[in-house]
Each structure stands twice: as structure tokens, then as C-alpha cells.
Amino acid sequence: MKKLLYVAVGLLFTVSAQAQTEEELKAQMAPKKDSIAAIQARVNALQSQLDALPGWKVGAFGTIGGSISEFNNWFAQGIPNNSTGNIGFTVNAFANLQEEKFFWRNAANLNLSWVKFDDKDDPTDDDSFRQATDVFNISSLYGRKLSEKFAISALAEYRTTILSNFNDPGYLDFGIGATWTPIPDLVVVMHPLNYNFVFSSEDTIFESSLGAKIVADYTKQIGAVSFKSNLSLFQSYKSSDLSNWTWTNSFSYTLWKMIGVGFDFGLRNNKQETLNYLVNNAPTPDPGTTFDSIDNELQTYWTLGLSYKF
């Protein structure tokens, strides 16, 4: 009994000592965490001051994702012998000039991906990598400042695909109006006079028109986190069937030096593209489809993988 009592007392003493040590360590960590947060806040404030200085600011970040797999005699699935793969990447680049009386902001976005599925038991299937995502966008915004937050501006923006059907369709917006920069990281473009040039071999569906252009771009880096959100909207004065909008978002978290984890997703609404697909490219094309008979489906994409920045 005495031995058991000694053991119980020893265990209680050990647990009590560990609990006390844990509480002491947590108490010592608390002020250090506060110090780290204060230092990071000062670093972020200095970075904001650097971003506001005149001159060129350039950079790029994006996401790389991919995977490969192979199955042999895996009879639990419908296709027991196969090899698959996918690879994709995004690039978000910018070159911005900030001066006392004017600014010039340039940006480019590229998102490409390929997929492969090879059924080894089917010699007739397509075992090559095929295009899955194809997005390209470049823009240039010039503004003459009326104040620190408002400017008279001109915008040129071009959107298309590059892996296939380059410039078919392609969209070129050119317009003038005003730009509002309420905070350094947010730019809102409001151009009531904008012409949307549409380039396509299918001239019975795609049509250029005059309209209004609205762009909102928010780009921010907070410590190890970088993110960019861009909304580009065109409202045709001729018909809502000719209007379109695209919203792209990129996030990255740096784990080590320039490498981290990234996530990209995009939404798009374009009735002309929907009609063109149903009339010309769907598995069962229907030449009799019209703008009035279709539902304008929301277009989406997303990519998850390793991220990088420069």
C-alpha cells in the first residue's frame, strides 16, 4: 500500500508540475505574440508608404497545380487499367507607374490547364493531354489626376483564348470616363463611353456595340498572404444580350521564400459565348437556337496548387 501511495503522490506531483510549467510557458508566450503582431503592423504600415511612393512598381504571382496517376488491374473501378494526369498554372503580373499628376496601371492574367485520361484497354481513345482551361486578359489604364482619389481616365482591355480559337472570339474594350481610388489597393473604373469590339468568324452571333464599362480591382499583400480580385463588366446600350462580365480571384500564402499554396477561381457571364457553343460546338449542335431560347449559364473555373511570387 505504501508503494502505491508513493506512486500516486509521485504522479500527482508530476502532473501538477507539468500543468504549472505549461501555464508558465503560455504566460511567457502571450507578450511575445503581442510583440510579433505589433512588429508586423509596423512592417505593413511601412509597406503601404513604400507602395504610395512615385515610380514604377512591378511584380507577379500565381499558382501551379498538377497530378499524375496510373492504375493496373484495379478491378474495383469501371476502367481498371488507366493513366491520368492534369497540369495547370496561372500568372498575375502588373507594372504600375505612380506620379504626382498621373498614373498608368498595366495588368495581365493568364490561366492555362491540360488534362489527360488514357484507357489502356481502349486503343481508340485519345491518350494525349487536352486543353481544359484557357483564359488570357491584358489591360492598360491611364489616369490624369483631378485629386488624390479621382482622375479622368482611359482604359484599353483585351480578352481572348490562346491555346485554341485565338481571337475567335476576342474582345477589345476601349473607353473613357473616371477612375476612383478610395484606398491605395482599390481601383474603380467608371467609363460611360466605351466601345466593345468583338472579333469572331461567327458574325451572326457576335456583335460589337457601344456601352458602359465598369472595372473594380483590389490587390493586396499582408505578410505572407497575397490576393487579387478583379471584376470587369460591360453593359451594352444596344441589347443586354451583348453584355458580359468576368470576375477573377487569386490567393496565395507563402510558406517558404517565394513558394507557397495558391487558389484561383473565376466566374463569367457571356450570352454570346453561350449561344455560339450551343449552335456550333455542343455535342449535339442546334442551329435553330436563339438568344431568346437559351438560359445564360454561369461559367466557372478554379485551380488549387503550389503558388509562387516575384
Side-chain angles (χ1 to χ4, degrees), residues 6-288:
Y6 291 151
V7 171
V9 171
L11 288 173
L12 287 173
F13 178 79
T14 302
V15 171
S16 176
Q18 287 179 343
Q20 184 178 4
T21 302
E22 183 178 354
E23 293 300 324
E24 291 174 351
L25 290 173
K26 287 182 177 179
Q28 294 177 28
M29 287 173 61
K32 291 179 171 58
K33 287 183 176 180
D34 292 340
S35 299
I36 292 172
I39 292 171
Q40 187 62 57
R42 291 197 294 270
V43 170
N44 292 340
L46 291 172
Q47 185 63 51
S48 297
Q49 294 178 33
L50 284 172
D51 294 339
L53 291 176
W56 282 98
K57 302 292 189 302
V58 298
F61 71 96
T63 304
I64 301 174
S67 68
I68 57 174
S69 65
E70 182 167 342
F71 290 86
N72 292 300
N73 300 325
W74 198 264
F75 298 116
Q77 61 189 17
I79 303 177
N81 301 292
N82 72 76
S83 62
T84 65
N86 69 78
I87 184 171
F89 67 92
T90 65
V91 179
N92 297 283
F94 65 89
N96 300 330
L97 175 63
Q98 188 71 243
E99 295 294 345
E100 182 181 356
K101 296 183 178 180
F102 70 93
F103 60 81
W104 185 20
R105 303 176 63 91
N106 303 277
N109 170 259
L110 179 66
N111 187 324
L112 304 176
S113 69
W114 298 261
V115 296
K116 169 185 176 179
F117 186 92
D118 177 22
D119 182 355
K120 297 179 180 179
D121 297 323
D122 182 2
T124 64
D125 73 336
D126 185 358
D127 61 355
S128 62
F129 277 92
R130 291 173 287 176
Q131 166 203 330
T133 306
D134 191 356
V135 179
F136 176 71
N137 183 43
I138 187 169
S139 65
S140 183
L141 173 68
Y142 177 84
R144 197 74 181 179
K145 295 181 180 179
L146 300 177
S147 67
E148 284 300 315
K149 295 185 177 181
F150 285 95
I152 299 298
S153 56
L155 171 71
E157 182 184 57
Y158 178 67
R159 305 183 309 279
T160 187
T161 56
I162 60 175
L163 295 179
S164 63
N165 302 322
F166 175 72
N167 203 43
D168 188 15
Y171 305 89
L172 174 62
D173 280 290
F174 183 78
I176 56 175
T179 294
W180 178 43
T181 52
I183 56 177
D185 305 305
L186 176 62
V187 178
V188 181
V189 179
M190 300 163 287
H191 286 177
L193 187 60
N194 181 94
Y195 201 82
N196 178 235
F197 296 92
V198 183
F199 310 100
S200 175
S201 58
E202 182 56 86
D203 55 7
T204 61
I205 295 176
F206 292 96
E207 183 179 351
S208 303
S209 65
L210 182 69
K213 183 76 173 181
I214 297 176
V215 177
D217 185 276
Y218 185 75
T219 305
K220 184 70 174 179
Q221 179 173 336
I222 304 175
V225 179
S226 298
F227 54 91
K228 178 182 178 67
S229 182
N230 181 276
L231 172 66
S232 178
L233 181 150
F234 171 73
Q235 180 62 50
S236 174
Y237 292 147
K238 184 175 183 179
S239 170
S240 61
D241 293 334
L242 306 181
S243 302
N244 62 78
W245 59 266
T246 303
W247 183 32
T248 58
N249 300 269
S250 298
F251 304 87
S252 69
Y253 181 80
T254 303
L255 299 173
W256 178 73
K257 293 187 177 181
M258 296 185 298
I259 305 300
V261 177
F263 177 67
D264 294 80
F265 76 90
L267 307 175
R268 182 169 172 81
N269 189 285
N270 190 311
K271 203 167 186 179
Q272 294 177 93
E273 292 177 351
T274 302
L275 180 59
N276 181 61
Y277 173 78
L278 295 174
V279 171
N280 297 308
N281 302 318
T284 55
D286 182 2

